[in-house]
Amino acid sequence: MGRRACGFIIFRRFKGPIEYLLMQTSYGTHHWTPPKGHVNKGENDFQTALRETEEEAGFVQEDMKIFTNSKHEMEYLVKGKPKTVIYWLAELVNKNKDARLSSEHQDFQWLPIDEACILSEYSEMQDALKQGHKFITENLISPPEK
């Protein structure tokens, strides 16, 4: 069985266009991804996504509106071994909070969809972002009231 990682594609709509949170890893090739991490023993996928998002970006469940019907699963090989990554869409609704960095990341940016896709590099990640963007634009008309 391959490794599993889970996280949220976090977006916000406070300042005009929809912006997506990407975080730059402080290890490896310094690639950019939404917050995510490996499933710990005894955790389900959703619990992992919540824990990793709090650890890596500082957002807790109450800061976000999570769209559980927007699950996106991708599978690819890492060093020849299968890896499954699951993302749900989550809208940042706490206007007073921004992402913060942990030791795992060296930078973060909020970006419109086109720039987010360019920065994320990997086609699987670009597909996940585009699918999320389509979900938002087709299903969520009005921004949050908060």
Side-chain angles (χ1 to χ4, degrees):
M1 187 169 135
R3 300 194 75 179
R4 285 175 85 76
C6 305
F8 294 114
I9 291 175
I10 301 173
F11 68 97
R12 68 180 184 186
R13 296 183 282 178
F14 304 144
K15 300 173 179 161
I18 299 165
E19 297 177 309
Y20 296 86
L21 175 66
L22 289 181
M23 306 192 80
Q24 186 180 34
T25 59
S26 51
Y27 55 86
T29 56
H30 304 301
H31 60 287
W32 293 80
T33 70
K36 70 169 189 321
H38 291 111
V39 177
N40 286 343
K41 198 173 178 168
E43 266 183 341
N44 66 34
D45 292 343
F46 194 74
Q47 288 168 325
T48 298
L50 285 171
R51 177 182 54 78
E52 287 289 341
T53 298
E54 185 174 1
E55 284 176 10
E56 295 187 355
F59 296 129
V60 294
Q61 190 163 2
E62 294 71 35
D63 295 326
M64 304 177 288
K65 180 178 179 188
I66 297 163
F67 298 92
T68 51
N69 57 339
S70 68
K71 186 173 174 182
H72 181 87
E73 198 164 322
M74 47 196 200
E75 293 183 13
Y76 51 91
L77 294 176
V78 177
K79 295 177 184 162
K81 294 188 175 123
K83 181 172 183 175
T84 303
V85 179
I86 295 162
Y87 285 110
W88 287 270
L89 267 180
E91 180 167 13
L92 179 63
V93 291
N94 183 344
K95 286 186 176 172
N96 303 315
K97 216 161 178 189
D98 200 354
R100 59 147 176 80
L101 294 171
S102 72
S103 60
E104 295 182 50
H105 295 94
Q106 59 187 20
D107 198 6
F108 71 85
Q109 288 191 49
W110 290 95
L111 298 162
I113 185 67
D114 295 340
E115 290 176 45
C117 285
I118 291 165
L119 202 56
S120 65
E121 270 177 68
Y122 296 100
S123 60
E124 294 94 349
M125 192 63 246
Q126 291 168 342
D127 290 345
L129 286 165
K130 286 175 189 161
Q131 187 179 319
H133 193 71
K134 186 169 188 262
F135 179 93
I136 296 163
T137 51
E138 288 177 3
N139 296 288
L140 311 180
I141 311 306
S142 56
E145 293 303 311
K146 283 185 186 175

